[in-house]
Amino acid sequence: MKASDADILIIPGYTNSGPSHWQSRWEAKLSTARRVEQAEWTKPVREDWIARIAEEVNASTRPVVLVAHSLGVASAIHAIPLFRKPVAGAFLVAPPDVTNPDIRPKHLMTFGPYPRDPLPFPSITVASRNDPFGSYEHADDIASSWGSFLVDAGESGHINADSGHGPWPEGTMVFAQFLSRLSG
C-alpha cells in the first residue's frame, strides 16, 4: 500500500504533538494524513477520545492506517470495537503503562487497562528501553497479546520531540516498510 492509498490518522497523546514532534512532521509530509483532534488535550476523557477516533475512522473513504503515540495508543486500542470501516494497519509508538499507579498525571490511569485481545489488523508497536511512561517489558507484553510486531527502539526515551525524535528518520523507514506490506 502507498501512503496515497490510505487515510492516515495521526493520533497524538496527552497534550497533543507539537510542531517539532515526528507526528506533526509526518502529518505535514503525507498528503492523506490528518490529525484526530481532541476537544481537551490536557484533561483527556477516555470516552471522548475514543469516540473522536472512531468518528474519524468511520468517516474515512480509503483504508485507514492508524499512527498513534503514547496515550493515543491506549485510546486507539479502546476505540476498535466502535470501528465500522476497515483499518488496514496500526503503527503504535511508545504505549504508556496506564495501569501504573506512579503515572502522572494520575487521571491517565482512566485509560487502562489495555484490552488484550488480538488486533483485527496488522500492527507494529515501537517501544523504548527507557521510556519514563512505560517499561519495555510492559510494551512487549501488550504487543504480544495484540499479535503486534514489536520494534526495539533502544534507549529512546518517550520517542517524542523532547527525547530528540522530531524528524525520527528510523521511524519513517520502519513506517514506510510497514505501509508497503499492507493491503487495502
Side-chain angles (χ1 to χ4, degrees):
M1 173 181 291
K2 296 179 193 165
S4 59
D5 298 330
D7 280 338
I8 299 171
L9 297 184
I10 305 291
I11 306 170
Y14 175 65
T15 72
N16 201 351
S17 293
S20 60
H21 193 286
W22 62 267
Q23 280 188 312
S24 299
R25 292 168 186 250
W26 289 14
E27 180 184 7
K29 285 185 179 175
L30 298 167
S31 64
T32 62
R34 69 181 186 272
R35 182 176 306 243
V36 176
E37 293 290 347
Q38 297 292 349
E40 184 54 70
W41 287 108
T42 59
K43 293 182 183 166
V45 176
R46 176 175 153 165
E47 293 73 23
D48 295 346
W49 279 39
I50 290 167
R52 278 292 301 130
I53 294 167
E55 188 179 306
E56 288 292 334
V57 167
N58 296 334
S60 295
T61 57
R62 292 176 284 244
V64 172
V65 176
L66 307 173
V67 178
H69 179 260
S70 193
L71 196 62
V73 173
S75 303
I77 299 298
H78 284 296
I80 292 171
L82 304 176
F83 296 169
R84 294 188 311 273
K85 296 275 180 86
V87 170
F91 190 78
L92 310 168
V93 181
D97 184 352
V98 288
T99 59
N100 181 344
D102 294 331
I103 198 168
R104 295 291 179 268
K106 268 277 202 229
H107 68 267
L108 299 184
M109 287 185 69
T110 63
F111 285 76
Y114 286 97
R116 299 187 61 85
D117 299 325
L119 301 182
F121 41 75
S123 65
I124 285 184
T125 300
V126 181
S128 167
R129 296 242 171 216
N130 64 340
D131 187 335
F133 297 102
S135 70
Y136 184 81
E137 293 73 26
H138 171 263
D140 185 22
D141 178 53
I142 58 171
S144 178
S145 72
W146 296 335
S148 184
F149 182 78
L150 181 66
V151 174
D152 184 343
E155 293 195 357
S156 299
H158 195 49
I159 313 177
N160 60 5
D162 290 344
S163 65
H165 295 84
W168 196 32
E170 303 87 355
T172 303
M173 291 187 313
V174 173
F175 181 67
Q177 267 189 331
F178 176 64
L179 206 55
S180 74
R181 294 189 173 120
L182 296 179
S183 58

